[in-house]
Every structure is written in structure tokens, then in C-alpha cells.
Amino acid sequence: MFSKKIGIILVFVFWGFLWGEKNWRVGICAFVDISAESDEVIGMILQSSLEGVLRRNKRFQVMIVSNAITNLSQARSVGTAARLDVLIYGFYRREGRDFVVMVKIYDILENEVRLSKTYKGVHSRDIFETVDEIASEASEEIKRALPVLLTEEDVARIQAQRKEIYEPKEVTIRREMRLGIGMVATGTEMWFERWDTMNLTSSYSGHSTLFSPEISLSMQIEWLRLAFVMKGLPWLPTWYNLEAYKGEFYGDYNQPISSVNGITLSDVLWQSLFLKAGGVFPLHRNLWIFAGVGGFGGSFSPVPQAEEVRINEGGGILLDGGVLSKNWEVGIMYQLWPLSQGWRDFGINPDVQWKESSTLGTTYNLSQYNFPLIAIYGNYFFFPQLGVALRLKKIDMQRNFEYFRTDSGSSKSFMRVDSVDISLEVNYRFKFGF
């Protein structure tokens, strides 16, 4: 019989440990004195007395809230900021020897007033005793208004309500997609020089200004982030202004050979794309860092009538990183490969070599030098779903080309394209779930 009682007790202890008497998170605000002559000390005594009575009950987690509440809107704002379940506030006044207190309980989880009751006492030298009596009487009403949370259903309901109200403020941005559409302003400088048997025979230079469309698409699934950016779309119009000059080897002036501008739908101008993948990791409550790697590629068609000024394509591998919050993001991309090689003398062995067999015995050598691409970017969302993005990119691509023919000797060429992009996009973001 004794062992059976022990078993029953252990079951109740285990149940209490598992579910327990889940505490109400209760905040007690400063009471507002609406008397003709204000006496805030009485309000502080009333607040402190209520706190002391409620703290003795294990079902309440009590905290003092310094704010004075006069309406439901303030009660909800203060209560949610403090992550409370209920908020106790009210008013008091003195009229001669009468002391009147109105106590309200606002349930933040249910968004309703659970209690609104008036208590009366005598204002005299024993006001402390009167306040204690009112606090004790009010605490009994509060206990009835906030029942003990013992059952599994009660606990699950309260926890679900807390999660619905408070957790979205702390959840990282997951399963989110962004679409950006914008314009890019591109300024490019180009150089070309050719030597025959080490004598400069011709040189060209030019510069261009382009305004071309840009699209971007990014997606975040849990901690994984993917992003794609493309500039210069062949099916959308691009405005261009291109100028080319022919240099005189024995003179100090340039002779213009071409100057054109207009709108084109072709894909023969400056195009580039970026594809990045990385992760987002928490740094602080509302701050995250991201890091990843990506690849980029670009192609450029030359100034008209100066086809020698040409670097058809280039590309590399990028390191991407930055910091983001709920509504803003800043980051930087830096080219990891090919590494910066700086200026090289033509006598250094080229990076790429190949031969073509023919009766003329022609040999080709190609050296590609890329100064690192660097990009700085940021975005800001003025509204939950709508924002803007700004990007600044710079790339410098160079190429040395050499060929040798047994019948006509050797020829070397140097080509360079130095380009800067400034783009502005409008971004739309939305969340998706699965």
C-alpha cells in the first residue's frame, strides 16, 4: 500500500517536472494619479505592494514596468516590447478622505482586457495600510483572472500564442527570393598597340559610355544563398556612345577614326554575369554575416572600324562577403583567380602557349593579365517588399598576343580594356515556404 502511494507521488512529481506550473509573465506598470493634486509616491507604493504580493505566488514571473499606461494601444506596445503575457496598470485618485484605485489587466496574448475593477479605501495617515489592503484584494482578483497553467492544452496554447507574437521578431530571413531590375552606366577605356619585329607600327585607343539593362535574382533557403546578376541583355535596348582614335608613332596627337552613338538590341557590346553561392550566419540578434564564392564572365565587342581594340572575353573566381540586417545589406566582391599579375615584360614566358602546324611554320603565344575585379554593393528596403540596390564594379583586362611565321618574322600586340560600372536596381522580395 505504501509503495503504491509512493508510485502515485512519483507520477505527479514527474508530471509536474514535465509540464509544471507554467508561469505567467506579468508586468506591473506605474499607476497614474488623476487627483487634483498629484502624489506619485502613493502610486509607487501601490506598484511595489502589488509586486510583493504577486511574487509570493509561484505561478507569476513579475517585473516592474516604469511606463505609465493610459490606453490599450500603449499597453500593447509596452507589453510586447517587454515580451509579457499580461500587463497590470491603472489609475488612482484622492477625494477628501476617499481613496479610489482602478486596476486593469490587459492580456497581450489574447489582446483583451481580462479585468477592470475599482477598489475603495480611506485616505488618512494610514495610507500605507490602505494601499496594502487594496493590493491584497486586487491580487486575489488577479489570481482568479489568470488561472494556473497545469494541463498540456493550456501550456501548448500559451506557448503557441507567445511564438506567434514574439518569435517572428527574432527569426532570420529564410526561404526568401529577390528579383532586381535596373540600369548600368559603364565607362570603358581601350588601348591597342602592335609591333612588327619590335617596331611600333600602329596604335589605337578609344572610350565608350553605355547605358544597358541589368537583372538580378537571388534566393535564400535556410542558411544557403544563391545569387545571379547579368548586365547587357541582347533582347533589351542598350544606348551607346563609342569613339576610337588612331595614334601616330612619331607625333604627339591622336587622329579620330570613328565616333558613333545610338541604340542597339544586339549582344555585341559589354556583357557580364555573376553567379554566387554562399551562406548566411548569425552575428547578433538582428545582424548576420554572409560569405561565399562565385564566378564571373564578360565579353566586349570593339569600337567600330577599330577591330584590333578587342578583348573578346575574360572571367575569374570571386570571393564574396558582407553584413546584412532585416532591411539592409552591404558587401564586397574581390577576384581570387586569376591573381593580379601586374605589368610584365614581353620577354617573360606567357601563361598560355600553343602551336599550329602549317607549311609556314606559324607559332602563337598568348598572355592574359587581369587586374582583380572588385565590386562594392549595398541595398536597402524602404518597404517590406520593395527596395533599391547600388553596385560599383571595376575590372581591368589585358592581353599580350605574339605570333611568328618563318616567312615574315614576328609580330606582337598589346590590348587592354579598363571598365567601371555603376548600377542602380529596384528590388522586389517575397518569402516562400515548403
Side-chain angles (χ1 to χ4, degrees):
M1 186 68 178
F2 178 76
S3 61
K4 184 176 182 181
K5 290 182 178 179
I6 292 295
I8 293 173
I9 292 172
L10 289 175
V11 168
F12 277 102
V13 169
F14 178 76
W15 180 263
F17 175 78
L18 185 62
W19 293 107
E21 206 175 64
K22 297 298 182 179
N23 297 333
W24 289 96
R25 302 171 185 171
V26 179
I28 304 176
C29 295
F31 281 73
V32 180
D33 190 352
I34 57 175
S35 307
E37 296 181 3
S38 177
D39 187 352
E40 296 182 355
V41 175
I42 297 177
M44 293 172 61
I45 296 170
L46 180 59
Q47 185 185 35
S48 179
S49 183
L50 265 176
E51 178 197 15
V53 174
L54 293 179
R55 277 193 188 278
R56 290 196 289 268
N57 194 308
K58 294 182 179 180
R59 80 175 75 165
F60 302 123
Q61 290 182 3
V62 183
M63 67 175 290
I64 291 293
V65 179
S66 60
N67 305 70
I69 305 300
T70 59
N71 55 62
L72 289 179
S73 177
Q74 287 181 336
R76 184 156 191 86
S77 176
V78 172
T80 53
R83 298 177 62 83
L84 297 170
D85 297 334
V86 294
L87 200 65
I88 299 174
Y89 67 101
F91 311 87
Y92 66 94
R93 72 175 185 273
R94 293 171 290 116
E95 296 178 356
R97 291 181 58 83
D98 294 331
F99 181 64
V100 181
V101 179
M102 175 179 287
V103 178
K104 292 178 178 288
I105 299 179
Y106 173 63
D107 189 332
I108 299 167
L109 304 181
E110 297 287 351
N111 193 22
E112 66 180 13
V113 176
R114 279 187 173 239
L115 175 69
S116 180
K117 191 167 183 177
T118 302
Y119 303 90
K120 294 183 179 181
V122 179
H123 185 269
S124 63
R125 292 181 179 179
D126 299 327
I127 185 63
F128 295 99
E129 185 177 342
T130 301
V131 169
D132 286 341
E133 290 177 356
I134 291 176
S136 179
E137 186 179 351
S139 66
E140 294 301 320
E141 294 287 348
I142 292 170
K143 292 175 185 177
R144 284 192 285 271
L146 302 175
V148 178
L149 302 176
L150 276 178
T151 66
E152 180 180 350
E153 291 77 11
D154 289 338
V155 173
R157 175 176 56 83
I158 294 298
Q159 289 179 343
Q161 289 173 322
R162 288 172 179 168
K163 183 177 181 180
E164 181 181 357
I165 294 175
Y166 297 118
E167 287 196 11
K169 297 179 182 295
E170 299 179 348
V171 173
T172 58
I173 302 173
R174 301 175 186 270
R175 295 187 298 275
E176 177 187 280
M177 185 169 289
R178 298 181 185 181
L179 175 65
I181 301 176
M183 293 293 294
V184 188
T186 303
T188 304
E189 296 291 336
M190 297 155 286
W191 297 269
F192 171 78
E193 293 178 338
R194 173 179 291 169
W195 287 264
D196 284 334
T197 62
M198 299 308 295
N199 291 318
L200 182 64
T201 59
S202 62
S203 66
Y204 295 90
S205 64
H207 61 263
S208 67
T209 303
L210 308 177
F211 288 90
S212 55
E214 179 178 83
I215 63 170
S216 66
L217 181 66
S218 68
M219 179 172 60
Q220 183 174 332
I221 304 175
E222 299 301 327
W223 62 271
L224 176 65
R225 171 183 275 194
L226 304 173
F228 171 82
V229 181
M230 184 172 182
K231 169 194 131 180
L233 310 176
W235 58 88
L236 292 178
T238 294
W239 181 87
Y240 63 92
N241 179 57
L242 309 173
E243 294 184 353
Y245 299 88
K246 182 176 181 180
E248 296 295 334
F249 181 66
Y250 294 105
D252 57 358
Y253 63 92
N254 287 332
Q255 176 186 357
I257 61 172
S258 178
S259 180
V260 294
N261 60 75
I263 296 177
T264 179
L265 294 176
S266 68
D267 59 353
V268 297
L269 297 174
W270 192 204
Q271 285 186 302
S272 66
L273 61 87
F274 297 82
L275 181 62
K276 303 181 295 180
V280 179
F281 311 98
L283 184 64
H284 191 260
R285 180 175 178 180
N286 290 313
L287 196 66
W288 301 269
I289 60 172
F290 63 91
V293 295
F296 77 96
S299 62
F300 186 79
S301 238
V303 175
Q305 302 180 28
E307 293 188 0
E308 296 89 345
V309 188
R310 178 194 297 266
I311 294 182
N312 290 326
E313 59 187 17
I317 297 175
L318 296 166
L319 177 66
D320 182 34
V323 181
L324 72 150
S325 187
K326 184 176 181 180
N327 291 320
W328 59 266
E329 177 181 331
V330 291
I332 186 170
M333 293 187 295
Y334 186 80
Q335 182 175 328
L336 287 177
W337 184 88
L339 299 175
S340 174
Q341 301 179 69
W343 297 91
R344 286 188 175 184
D345 183 83
F346 282 177
I348 296 179
N349 292 330
D351 301 313
V352 181
Q353 299 183 359
W354 71 92
K355 287 186 177 182
E356 288 187 2
S357 299
S358 70
T359 56
L360 298 177
T362 305
T363 302
Y364 297 88
N365 293 331
L366 174 67
S367 302
Q368 178 76 48
Y369 307 142
N370 291 323
F371 281 89
L373 178 143
I374 188 169
I376 301 173
Y377 61 92
N379 60 50
Y380 185 82
F381 282 86
F382 296 95
F383 305 100
Q385 293 180 317
L386 197 64
V388 296
L390 181 66
R391 295 188 186 90
L392 175 63
K393 301 191 292 286
K394 177 178 173 59
I395 187 171
D396 187 346
M397 297 185 297
Q398 304 172 40
R399 177 174 292 176
N400 290 329
F401 180 78
E402 178 183 7
Y403 73 90
F404 177 80
R405 290 177 55 171
T406 54
D407 64 337
S408 60
S410 65
S411 176
K412 296 183 178 182
S413 299
F414 170 73
M415 296 160 283
R416 182 180 180 187
V417 174
D418 185 5
S419 181
V420 176
D421 285 351
I422 300 177
S423 64
L424 182 64
E425 282 186 4
V426 175
N427 282 172
Y428 174 77
R429 70 177 178 181
F430 59 93
K431 295 181 180 180
F432 59 95
F434 53 83

